[in-house]
Amino acid sequence: MSFRINPDPSFKDALIAADRSLAGIWVCSGSPLVAEICAGAGFDWIFIDAEHSPNGLESILAQLQAVRGYPVIPVVRPPVNDTVIIKQYLDVGVQSLIVPMVNSAAEARAAVAACHYPPLGVRGVGSALARSARWNRIPDYLNRAGETLTLMVQIESAQAVENVEEIVHTEGVDGIFIGPSDLAASMGVIGQQDHPEVVAAVEKSIAAGKSAGKFVGVNAFAEQSIKHYIELGADFVGVGADVALLARGSEALAAKFAAGHDAVSGTPASY
Ligand code: 3PY
Ligand code: MG
């Protein structure tokens, strides 16, 4: 006889249970091995990125499988707010999504619709074929799918901040994730995530999300910013990335033991 199995918890289950801000690490390498290393590091959630990282459906599936044995919530970012791509992600077993570049309530509603079967949404039905339903081993998946998912939308443009009240009140949006890098770019101060106007826009978005009773997350790799946004009530924070840790860590090691190497030209100094 086959197993009857329960769906895994999604991000909102962990956020509801939490009595502190949840810390997450980005996995941008596209590597299941690295995802597993990060999953065992003690973070609350890991953020598998397909917007800026070399990830396709197959590598996302492999990473979901690699981290499943660890007490960590995998959250996945598709490259774009697209109904078909979101359907494929859900079917492969993604339960927690952060959808990038959501600038209006209409775009938020489109993301919600992509996540739900009719009549609530437009998700195509393929549960017998899909890992999401464990090939129909999750009893009544079609009627329970909505409760197994968490949808966060990204606030990361001046336009999104302008529309943040409508976005956070969109039914079916569980929360927002604020992206200071794109926000800074859209405000004309690219690369300056800590610019006072960017910080003010982040603060405004946090306040809007909190007063709407939605979960609020923000990306912040600098310790001071992390603490500031947690003090303002951020429920979850992205605090670092696999690739950045490797880049900075390997540079530090090279600087210590290969000091004769010219890191700018890439040529050993003695050549
Ligand atoms: C951004 O800052 O633009 C993000 O998408 C999250 O880091
Ligand atoms: Mg961004």
Side-chain angles (χ1 to χ4, degrees), residues 180-211:
S181 300
D182 278 304
L183 188 52
S186 86
M187 293 174 73
V189 287
I190 194 164
Q192 298 179 54
Q193 290 89 321
D194 294 326
H195 189 286
E197 283 173 27
V198 177
V199 173
V202 173
E203 291 171 351
K204 176 184 166 184
S205 305
I206 293 176
K210 297 299 288 182
S211 68

Side-chain angles (χ1 to χ4, degrees), residues 3-7 133 136-145:
F3 290 110
R4 290 280 165 264
I5 47 183
N6 284 318
N136 278 349
R137 289 178 186 152
I138 294 181
D140 202 24
Y141 178 77
L142 287 177
N143 291 312
R144 297 167 65 199

